[in-house]
């Protein structure tokens, strides 16, 4: 499923064209490599540019988030707990009464939807430095969630993920 979403994002970006900040980053990297600027100035400028890049990509990120919500929340809700990818793999989310909230929680944990929503929330509310710190902290937290999920699936007796525990659901094979 994420591969399909990645294809959509690549197609959307190909229609939008190159980012106007690519040149700025290129020159900034060259200046730093040639020791024309020190690390503190390099990092300060890079943080500002990256914040501007995220601001300029809002439309793409909204489209991506919408596709993710449709793919991982709406489709499984209307399709007996299955996404397109889970249909191919012949698995589904099993729960007596699977709700939209269950699927949102799963998507926040498994697909990084929480990271994207938080990024939108703070994008225009905080300055460059605070944005950089918060986004990197949240990315680290998302990485921890992924690691926890992997260890839970591998080492927990029932082989269930954090999303399964929080939503009281399971992934089952369809025969």
């Amino acid at each position: 499923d994420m591969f399909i979403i990645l294809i959509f994002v690549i197609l959307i970006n190909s229609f939008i064209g190159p980012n106007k900040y690519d040149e700025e980053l290129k020159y900034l990297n060259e200046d730093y490599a040639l020791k024309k600027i020190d690390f503190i100035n390099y990092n300060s400028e890079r943080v500002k540019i990256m914040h501007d890049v995220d601001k300029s990509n809002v439309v793409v990120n909204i489209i991506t988030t919408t596709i993710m919500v449709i793919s991982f929340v709406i489709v499984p809700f209307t399709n007996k707990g299955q996404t397109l990818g889970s249909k191919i793999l012949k698995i589904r989310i099993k729960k007596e009464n699977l709700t939209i909230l269950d699927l949102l929680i799963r998507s926040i944990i498994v697909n990084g939807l929480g990271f994207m929503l938080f990024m939108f929330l703070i994008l225009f509310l905080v300055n460059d430095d605070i944005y950089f710190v918060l986004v990197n902290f949240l990315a680290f937290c998302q990485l921890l969630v992924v690691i926890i999920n992997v260890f839970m699936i591998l080492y927990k007796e029932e082989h269930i993920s954090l999303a399964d525990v929080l939503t009281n659901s399971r992934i089952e094979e369809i025969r």
Side-chain angles (χ1 to χ4, degrees):
D1 292 320
M2 289 303 278
F3 180 73
I4 294 168
I5 291 172
L6 178 65
I7 299 296
F8 277 117
V9 171
I10 290 170
L11 288 172
I12 292 166
N13 278 323
S14 68
F15 287 114
I16 292 174
N19 191 313
K20 68 181 182 179
Y21 298 102
D22 289 344
E23 284 293 312
E24 279 186 59
L25 279 173
K26 177 184 167 192
Y27 291 127
L28 181 66
N29 288 332
E30 285 175 3
D31 285 351
Y32 181 65
L34 297 172
K35 300 190 190 282
K36 291 182 180 178
I37 57 173
D38 63 5
F39 177 75
I40 292 172
N41 287 324
Y42 167 76
N43 198 48
S44 177
E45 282 301 307
R46 188 178 154 282
V47 164
K48 181 187 177 311
I49 292 169
M50 295 312 293
H51 192 193
D52 290 341
V53 167
D54 285 351
K55 285 179 182 176
S56 72
N57 287 334
V58 165
V59 173
V60 172
N61 289 333
I62 289 172
I63 292 169
T64 302
T65 303
T66 303
I67 292 169
M68 286 178 66
V69 169
I70 290 168
S71 299
F72 297 114
V73 178
I74 306 299
V75 170
F77 183 73
T78 59
N79 202 25
K80 298 177 185 172
Q82 285 188 294
T83 64
L84 178 61
S86 60
K87 269 191 174 297
I88 293 167
L89 295 173
K90 297 184 181 185
I91 57 174
R92 73 179 183 108
I93 302 167
K94 181 184 178 189
K95 183 176 179 179
E96 185 81 24
N97 292 314
L98 190 62
T99 66
I100 294 277
L101 181 61
D102 293 328
L103 294 164
L104 272 171
I105 291 168
R106 291 185 69 84
S107 194
I108 286 169
I109 292 169
V110 175
N111 306 110
L113 187 61
F115 174 81
M116 293 184 79
L117 294 175
F118 184 77
M119 190 180 83
F120 289 144
L121 180 68
I122 65 168
L123 186 60
F124 296 99
L125 298 178
V126 298
N127 69 31
D128 302 333
D129 294 324
I130 293 172
Y131 178 78
F132 177 77
V133 170
L134 289 175
V135 166
N136 282 292
F137 174 74
L138 192 61
F140 177 74
C141 291
Q142 182 67 38
L143 177 64
L144 285 178
V145 168
V146 169
I147 291 168
I148 290 167
N149 270 321
V150 168
F151 277 97
M152 285 181 73
I153 292 168
L154 291 175
Y155 298 111
K156 202 163 172 51
E157 189 173 318
E158 305 90 18
H159 301 289
I160 59 175
S161 72
L162 182 60
D164 294 327
V165 171
L166 292 176
T167 61
N168 197 28
S169 60
R170 302 292 179 265
I171 300 296
E172 75 172 359
E173 234 179 289
I174 299 174
R175 301 181 199 285

